[in-house]
Amino acid sequence: MSIVASLQDQVEENLSLLAPVESAWQPTDFLPDFSAEDWYDQLKAFREAALCVPDDLLVVLVGGMITEEALPNYSISLEQIAHDPTGVTDTPWARWLRGWTAEENRHGDLLNAYLRLTGRVDIRVVEQTIHHLICNGFTTGNDGNDYAGLIYASFQERATRLTHGNLGRMVDRCGEENLAKICRKIAADETRHEVFYTKIVGEIFKGDPENAMLAYRHMLRRLVAMPGARMDDGRDPDLYEHYSHVTQRTGIYTTTDYAAIISHLNKAWNIGSLSLTGKAAKAQDYICNQPQRYENLAPELEARSKSEPAASFAWIRDRKA
């Protein structure tokens, strides 16, 4: 039986990882001030700065924004853990989910506003892709297992932090400081969220190591699917595959990163040092071998992405990336 419901005290202790609303950043902090007398000059400078972002990084940005905008799917997924039937339940888990959702909501809002104001993309096609992704649904592949769901959240928060952080560094080198600041701020949020989920999963491994290990193996055997895997623009049936090739080619999210995330989580949860027997011990061996397995596969997979021909993206008005 899952021990997640019994972790209310541990969740309460870590609610401080949510930023107080009064001091939290908001999307408008990073955008032109349309109430100012010089709003037009601010907007003009904002748009001009965005012109230096190359198409391949623009595609990664759009894919990241679409993924962030599909937030309703992720909140629904985590509701099975939070159990907030009234919508205002005062348990720590319910308060975490609402607070986490509120913080995540700003990410899509800000990236959406950036792309809309800069005029660099076909925003209607992007909106259609968001619409499709939310309609298509989302699955972590955990088959209703709370442990696997939280392990997935730990993995994805770190992956998202890496993606936004890497994109921020690359656009900064291109000279786009506005977007670099935005990416850094979102990555900082994802870092706090990653810390929360990693701590909670650590408590699960302490309280129920055998089942936690089996859940972790279950996640890794299926390959950890990205939240945007079901994205669809209504035109390209292989949109996510093409998007993934761009993230690999640019170095923003690679197989090497995938291996590094597993390695990090294994260390954070002391996977290799747990004393287990039977199926759990076999799962432990499997998990411990995964970082090296993906490191070995990385050169081939990354080279394959680089050899793939550039694809046309409706998001950027059918230019190729």
Side-chain angles (χ1 to χ4, degrees), residues 4-311:
V4 170
S6 69
L7 298 177
Q8 298 284 3
D9 289 345
Q10 289 85 348
V11 173
E12 179 78 48
E13 291 172 4
N14 287 286
L15 287 177
S16 59
L17 288 166
L18 295 171
V21 176
E22 293 74 19
S23 60
W25 66 268
Q26 297 300 334
T28 192
D29 299 337
F30 301 88
L31 302 170
D33 182 359
F34 288 94
S35 67
E37 290 186 5
D38 66 340
W39 68 269
Y40 180 79
D41 292 333
Q42 289 187 38
L43 178 59
K44 184 179 179 181
F46 193 77
R47 289 170 65 93
E48 287 176 351
L51 292 174
C52 68
V53 180
D55 282 346
D56 54 358
L57 297 187
L58 202 57
V59 164
V60 174
L61 175 62
V62 172
M65 180 273 252
I66 290 166
T67 301
E68 295 281 4
E69 287 282 61
L71 175 62
N73 286 346
Y74 320 138
S75 293
I76 290 170
S77 177
L78 286 169
E79 167 58 19
Q80 73 176 38
I81 294 170
H83 297 298
D84 185 8
T86 67
V88 292
T89 308
D90 196 40
T91 61
W93 266 120
R95 283 153 52 207
W96 167 262
L97 178 57
R98 294 197 299 269
W100 173 84
T101 300
E103 291 198 350
E104 289 284 341
N105 182 64
R106 300 169 307 161
H107 301 170
D109 283 353
L110 178 52
L111 295 175
N112 193 322
Y114 175 88
L115 289 167
R116 189 177 302 275
L117 292 176
T118 59
R120 292 295 315 276
V121 302
D122 186 331
I123 199 66
R124 194 173 196 282
V125 175
V126 173
E127 290 171 336
Q128 287 176 325
T129 311
I130 296 167
H131 198 154
H132 275 300
L133 181 55
I134 296 175
C135 286
N136 288 344
F138 163 74
T139 177
T140 63
N142 64 20
D143 297 333
N145 184 303
D146 289 350
Y147 295 175
L150 289 169
I151 290 167
Y152 180 91
S154 303
F155 187 103
Q156 283 304 334
E157 293 288 3
R158 189 167 184 83
T160 307
R161 177 181 75 81
L162 285 170
T163 301
H164 286 301
N166 288 338
L167 178 58
R169 282 186 287 276
M170 291 185 187
V171 297
D172 198 19
R173 288 198 291 268
C174 295
E176 200 344 9
E177 186 178 349
N178 294 321
L179 181 55
K181 288 179 180 178
I182 288 170
C183 290
R184 286 196 295 267
K185 188 58 69 172
I186 293 175
D189 276 4
E190 306 293 13
T191 298
R192 289 187 287 107
H193 300 164
E194 176 200 343
V195 169
F196 173 86
Y197 289 113
T198 303
K199 282 186 174 182
I200 295 304
V201 173
E203 294 297 326
I204 293 172
F205 270 104
K206 290 177 185 177
D208 190 3
E210 290 82 7
N211 286 316
M213 197 69 71
L214 293 173
Y216 191 11
R217 182 187 63 180
H218 178 78
M219 290 300 304
L220 294 182
R221 287 183 70 176
R222 292 183 171 217
L223 193 66
V224 182
M226 297 297 105
R230 297 188 178 196
M231 64 172 59
D232 177 11
D233 62 0
R235 305 181 189 188
D236 181 0
D238 300 313
L239 176 61
Y240 182 74
E241 180 182 354
H242 292 150
Y243 166 70
S244 297
H245 286 317
V246 178
T247 64
Q248 285 260 26
R249 284 199 296 266
T250 55
I252 286 178
Y253 185 74
T254 67
T255 305
T256 300
D257 292 321
Y258 186 93
I261 293 172
I262 299 172
S263 179
H264 170 82
L265 294 176
N266 287 357
K267 291 175 183 176
W269 297 327
N270 299 313
I271 296 300
S273 63
L274 295 175
S275 179
L276 301 167
T277 59
K279 292 182 179 179
K282 291 181 180 179
Q284 181 182 35
D285 289 340
Y286 175 88
I287 293 164
C288 288
N289 289 328
Q290 293 312 291
Q292 189 60 55
R293 175 184 174 225
Y294 283 102
E295 286 177 17
N296 293 341
L297 287 171
E300 176 187 348
L301 295 177
E302 292 169 16
R304 188 182 303 170
S305 285
K306 290 178 180 178
S307 68
E308 286 289 327

